[in-house]
mmCIF file of all heavy atoms in Angstrom:
data_model
loop_
_atom_site.group_PDB
_atom_site.id
_atom_site.type_symbol
_atom_site.label_atom_id
_atom_site.label_comp_id
_atom_site.label_asym_id
_atom_site.label_seq_id
_atom_site.Cartn_x
_atom_site.Cartn_y
_atom_site.Cartn_z
ATOM 1 N N GLY B 50 67.245 70.952 152.334
ATOM 2 C CA GLY B 50 68.416 70.631 151.528
ATOM 3 C C GLY B 50 69.323 69.637 152.226
ATOM 4 O O GLY B 50 69.705 68.607 151.667
ATOM 5 N N THR B 58 69.949 60.125 152.056
ATOM 6 C CA THR B 58 71.062 59.350 151.536
ATOM 7 C C THR B 58 71.960 58.824 152.649
ATOM 8 O O THR B 58 72.821 57.971 152.416
ATOM 9 C CB THR B 58 71.892 60.204 150.545
ATOM 10 O OG1 THR B 58 70.983 60.969 149.758
ATOM 11 C CG2 THR B 58 72.716 59.342 149.606
ATOM 12 N N ALA B 104 81.883 68.983 142.517
ATOM 13 C CA ALA B 104 83.342 68.917 142.381
ATOM 14 C C ALA B 104 83.979 68.409 143.668
ATOM 15 O O ALA B 104 84.854 67.540 143.640
ATOM 16 C CB ALA B 104 83.889 70.295 142.024
ATOM 17 N N CYS B 120 85.721 65.466 156.727
ATOM 18 C CA CYS B 120 86.063 66.117 155.464
ATOM 19 C C CYS B 120 85.128 67.280 155.136
ATOM 20 O O CYS B 120 85.568 68.329 154.681
ATOM 21 C CB CYS B 120 86.018 65.105 154.327
ATOM 22 S SG CYS B 120 87.636 64.682 153.747
ATOM 23 N N PHE B 124 86.194 71.083 154.743
ATOM 24 C CA PHE B 124 85.844 71.832 153.535
ATOM 25 C C PHE B 124 85.176 73.150 153.898
ATOM 26 O O PHE B 124 85.494 74.214 153.341
ATOM 27 C CB PHE B 124 84.918 70.986 152.656
ATOM 28 C CG PHE B 124 84.194 71.760 151.609
ATOM 29 C CD1 PHE B 124 84.869 72.253 150.505
ATOM 30 C CD2 PHE B 124 82.830 72.006 151.725
ATOM 31 C CE1 PHE B 124 84.201 72.979 149.531
ATOM 32 C CE2 PHE B 124 82.162 72.726 150.759
ATOM 33 C CZ PHE B 124 82.852 73.219 149.662
ATOM 34 N N CYS B 219 71.327 82.541 148.993
ATOM 35 C CA CYS B 219 71.065 83.707 148.139
ATOM 36 C C CYS B 219 69.932 84.554 148.738
ATOM 37 O O CYS B 219 70.035 85.788 148.828
ATOM 38 C CB CYS B 219 70.715 83.232 146.728
ATOM 39 S SG CYS B 219 70.218 84.542 145.620
ATOM 40 N N LEU B 225 68.817 89.921 154.266
ATOM 41 C CA LEU B 225 69.544 90.567 155.348
ATOM 42 C C LEU B 225 70.257 91.835 154.885
ATOM 43 O O LEU B 225 70.396 92.799 155.629
ATOM 44 C CB LEU B 225 70.569 89.585 155.933
ATOM 45 C CG LEU B 225 70.642 89.605 157.445
ATOM 46 C CD1 LEU B 225 69.373 88.957 157.989
ATOM 47 C CD2 LEU B 225 71.875 88.864 157.924
ATOM 48 N N LYS B 237 76.799 77.413 162.335
ATOM 49 C CA LYS B 237 75.667 77.483 161.400
ATOM 50 C C LYS B 237 75.358 76.083 160.853
ATOM 51 O O LYS B 237 74.197 75.696 160.697
ATOM 52 C CB LYS B 237 76.017 78.438 160.254
ATOM 53 C CG LYS B 237 74.878 78.757 159.328
ATOM 54 C CD LYS B 237 73.881 79.684 159.981
ATOM 55 C CE LYS B 237 72.536 79.569 159.297
ATOM 56 N NZ LYS B 237 71.499 80.285 160.042
ATOM 57 N N PRO B 254 57.869 66.509 156.780
ATOM 58 C CA PRO B 254 57.146 67.302 157.783
ATOM 59 C C PRO B 254 57.995 67.524 159.026
ATOM 60 O O PRO B 254 57.980 68.613 159.615
ATOM 61 C CB PRO B 254 55.932 66.431 158.131
ATOM 62 C CG PRO B 254 55.836 65.413 157.064
ATOM 63 C CD PRO B 254 57.180 65.247 156.457
ATOM 64 N N LEU B 270 64.473 83.161 172.783
ATOM 65 C CA LEU B 270 65.405 82.775 173.841
ATOM 66 C C LEU B 270 66.620 83.703 173.849
ATOM 67 O O LEU B 270 67.712 83.304 174.179
ATOM 68 C CB LEU B 270 65.863 81.322 173.626
ATOM 69 C CG LEU B 270 64.761 80.254 173.626
ATOM 70 C CD1 LEU B 270 65.333 78.908 173.238
ATOM 71 C CD2 LEU B 270 64.084 80.184 174.990
ATOM 72 N N MET B 288 67.980 63.740 171.655
ATOM 73 C CA MET B 288 67.269 63.139 170.528
ATOM 74 C C MET B 288 67.855 61.792 170.169
ATOM 75 O O MET B 288 67.135 60.837 169.870
ATOM 76 C CB MET B 288 67.338 64.055 169.298
ATOM 77 C CG MET B 288 66.621 65.374 169.440
ATOM 78 S SD MET B 288 64.879 65.186 169.781
ATOM 79 C CE MET B 288 64.368 64.414 168.261
ATOM 80 N N LYS B 309 43.148 58.325 157.472
ATOM 81 C CA LYS B 309 42.115 59.048 158.205
ATOM 82 C C LYS B 309 40.979 59.459 157.271
ATOM 83 O O LYS B 309 39.830 59.566 157.668
ATOM 84 C CB LYS B 309 42.691 60.310 158.875
ATOM 85 C CG LYS B 309 43.587 60.003 160.057
ATOM 86 C CD LYS B 309 42.788 59.677 161.305
ATOM 87 C CE LYS B 309 43.655 58.954 162.318
ATOM 88 N NZ LYS B 309 42.983 57.968 163.114
ATOM 89 N N ARG B 315 48.438 54.033 147.719
ATOM 90 C CA ARG B 315 48.417 53.670 146.299
ATOM 91 C C ARG B 315 48.666 52.184 146.061
ATOM 92 O O ARG B 315 49.469 51.543 146.691
ATOM 93 C CB ARG B 315 49.469 54.492 145.556
ATOM 94 C CG ARG B 315 50.872 54.038 145.910
ATOM 95 C CD ARG B 315 51.935 54.986 145.415
ATOM 96 N NE ARG B 315 53.138 54.694 146.175
ATOM 97 C CZ ARG B 315 54.218 54.151 145.655
ATOM 98 N NH1 ARG B 315 54.279 53.877 144.398
ATOM 99 N NH2 ARG B 315 55.258 53.881 146.402
#
Side-chain angles (χ1 to χ4, degrees):
Chain B
T58 320
C120 252
F124 164 72
C219 174
L225 222 72
K237 188 73 202 171
L270 301 173
M288 294 301 295
K309 288 281 162 214
R315 71 191 161 111

